[in-house]
Amino acid sequence: MTQKQWNLRNFRLKTVPFVALLALTALFRSPQNAFQTTIGPIGHSILDLTPSVIGIGIALAGAVNTLASLWLAMRLRSGHLRLIAMAALTSILAAILVIEVGGGIYSFLVSAVIFGASGGLAMPVLATLASRVEGVSRDRAISAYTVALSASLALGPFFESIVLKVTHDSLKSGLSSFLPFPLAALVFLSLVKPSLKSSMASTGDRPFSGHISRNPHFRMAIVALLLYQVPFIAITSFGALMAHYVYHATIALAQLCFTVFFVVSLSTRSVLVWRPPGRHEYTLLRISAALTLIGTLVLAVGHGLVSLFAAMVLLGVPHGLVYPVSISTVARTTTTKDVPRANATLAAATSAASVISPFLLGEVATFFGYRAISVFTLVPVALLAVFLFLINPSKPPETSSPTLEALPPEGS
């Protein structure tokens, strides 16, 4: 074999699994988002369900999502990553099929449960796989993974809108058009070969070997994710209504706000692929906290469309930063065997916030109006921002666990 052939073979061995992981990520996230945005209209328009039943189904999906991530946090091991990813892809396929063929409340609730389990299993596993790509730097791989997530959020709805136009707004046809996606993702999953080597081997850092809850880097990541999750839920759940009733935007302008938000997020994540965060993770998380606080404040007190779009731009940047930087921080500062458990814990915490926040924000809107949502959101954002700035990630954690040097080599 010539040197050129060897280099080409080596390039393929490293590139194909990485590209397969990105394709797998997009092919999972697109139908997941389609199901999430379509199940409500299907329940209302086709199954004739009441808003309370639809709300119960969505809350049930969120609760199962959290429980699935908690289960992973307690039981997931590195050798099970591909098996769990396969189960998640099969689950999203089953959720779509159940809502497609079912005709009542029971099929609606069953599909919601299966959907929740799929997301709770998939997201922490995909994040862990992204941190273990052979031949690609950890930060760049994780950033590219989050770009795939953002791209699927932008392209998936565009694809569904075309299907809806062709089928004269048939909701079930729009959702069933995503059935080939998880099947294709299963094919790409067979090409993904996660590395079992430590993701910190080339960084010179010593990973934390005690319980993940005592790891200051992990605490910083989870606080950053929770800090952003509340305003993100407010935007995705009530953003269109806030734009219309508070800022007097038309439906088209309200949708344009979401487009601006996700384009800014996608652009931010694309920059991270070009310039990975490296040792600036903590600075970026604190900048994200400040921008989240400012963006939420603008949304709470602003008037006119300029304020609305400015808030979307400000909030789009931390949406692009927080998730990739947080999981990169965890991957860099956690032992290899604990990374799956740490990612599952992060997913469980953010999922729990997704279950509680919509109910609380809905009650606030009912009694005080839609502007009050962003005012109410300022409280947890401000408190968590203070907590984030007080965490000192460079301070050695207090633990009686052996240091890395005292541990036996992995696989011994």
Side-chain angles (χ1 to χ4, degrees):
M1 181 180 293
T2 66
Q3 183 65 37
K4 184 177 180 180
Q5 290 174 323
W6 171 260
N7 291 338
L8 181 61
R9 180 176 178 272
N10 193 43
F11 174 78
R12 287 175 178 172
L13 287 174
K14 292 181 178 180
T15 304
V16 170
F18 180 45
V19 174
L21 175 62
L22 299 183
L24 159 65
T25 299
L27 288 169
F28 169 77
R29 189 68 179 96
S30 284
Q32 187 202 31
N33 183 62
F35 187 96
Q36 192 171 14
T37 57
T38 308
I39 186 174
I42 287 179
H44 174 75
S45 302
I46 298 177
L47 302 180
D48 294 322
L49 302 179
T50 64
S52 61
V53 172
I54 295 173
I56 289 172
I58 295 172
L60 189 61
V64 173
N65 187 302
T66 303
L67 291 174
S69 294
L70 286 173
W71 178 82
L72 284 183
M74 293 184 290
R75 297 181 179 274
L76 182 60
R77 296 294 179 268
S78 296
H80 301 155
L81 291 173
R82 290 176 64 182
L83 182 63
I84 297 297
M86 186 180 300
L89 290 169
T90 306
S91 296
I92 191 64
L93 183 67
I96 296 174
L97 287 172
V98 169
I99 197 68
E100 286 287 333
V101 302
I105 182 174
Y106 295 110
S107 61
F108 179 83
L109 295 177
V110 168
S111 66
V113 169
I114 300 173
F115 168 73
S118 175
L121 294 175
M123 297 310 292
V125 169
L126 291 175
T128 302
L129 288 172
S131 69
R132 296 185 176 181
V133 176
E134 186 78 36
V136 182
S137 70
R138 181 201 63 247
D139 288 351
R140 183 166 279 113
I142 289 175
S143 297
Y145 154 71
T146 60
V147 167
L149 288 175
S150 291
S152 66
L153 289 174
L155 297 177
F158 176 70
F159 168 74
E160 187 176 9
S161 68
I162 294 175
V163 175
L164 289 173
K165 185 176 182 180
V166 172
T167 59
H168 306 290
D169 293 330
S170 172
L171 291 171
K172 284 196 171 183
S173 297
L175 186 57
S176 64
S177 66
F178 286 92
L179 283 171
F181 284 45
L183 293 174
L186 286 169
V187 176
F188 282 108
L189 178 61
S190 66
L191 302 175
V192 176
K193 297 179 176 65
S195 171
L196 296 180
K197 296 179 182 179
S198 170
S199 59
M200 292 151 289
S202 62
T203 65
D205 293 313
R206 185 170 71 185
F208 179 69
S209 56
H211 193 277
I212 56 174
S213 65
R214 293 192 295 270
N215 182 345
H217 310 279
F218 175 80
R219 288 203 301 270
M220 189 167 193
I222 203 168
V223 169
L225 284 168
L226 288 174
L227 185 154
Y228 192 78
Q229 190 68 6
V230 178
F232 177 67
I233 291 170
I235 290 172
T236 54
S237 301
F238 301 99
L241 293 170
M242 291 172 63
H244 180 68
Y245 289 105
V246 178
Y247 288 92
H248 309 294
T250 63
I251 295 176
L253 282 174
Q255 292 303 315
L256 184 58
C257 287
F258 288 114
T259 301
V260 169
F261 176 82
F262 284 115
V263 166
V264 171
S265 173
L266 175 61
S267 302
T268 303
R269 290 178 176 181
S270 299
V271 171
L272 289 180
V273 177
W274 175 51
R275 294 289 298 272
R279 303 307 295 270
H280 302 292
E281 294 160 337
Y282 314 123
T283 301
L284 290 175
L285 288 180
R286 286 165 175 160
I287 290 173
S288 297
L291 288 175
T292 302
L293 190 59
I294 296 170
T296 306
L297 181 62
V298 170
L299 198 61
V301 302
H303 294 277
L305 293 177
V306 173
S307 296
L308 176 62
F309 279 93
M312 291 298 144
V313 171
L314 288 168
L315 292 170
V317 174
H319 182 265
L321 285 176
V322 169
Y323 183 61
V325 174
S326 294
I327 59 176
S328 177
T329 301
V330 169
R332 184 175 65 81
T333 62
T334 308
T335 56
T336 302
K337 70 174 184 177
D338 286 332
V339 169
R341 189 159 52 95
N343 283 331
T345 304
L346 290 175
T350 52
S351 295
S354 300
V355 175
I356 299 170
S357 297
F359 171 76
L360 293 177
L361 294 174
E363 291 297 304
V364 169
T366 299
F367 288 100
F368 303 104
Y370 287 107
R371 184 181 288 276
I373 288 178
S374 50
V375 176
F376 176 83
T377 302
L378 275 171
V379 178
V381 168
L383 291 175
L384 288 168
V386 171
F387 189 25
L388 183 70
F389 276 85
L390 290 177
I391 296 175
N392 182 7
S394 62
K395 182 181 179 180
E398 296 178 5
T399 178
S400 57
S401 302
T403 62
L404 183 65
E405 288 81 3
L407 292 173
E410 288 189 51
S412 63

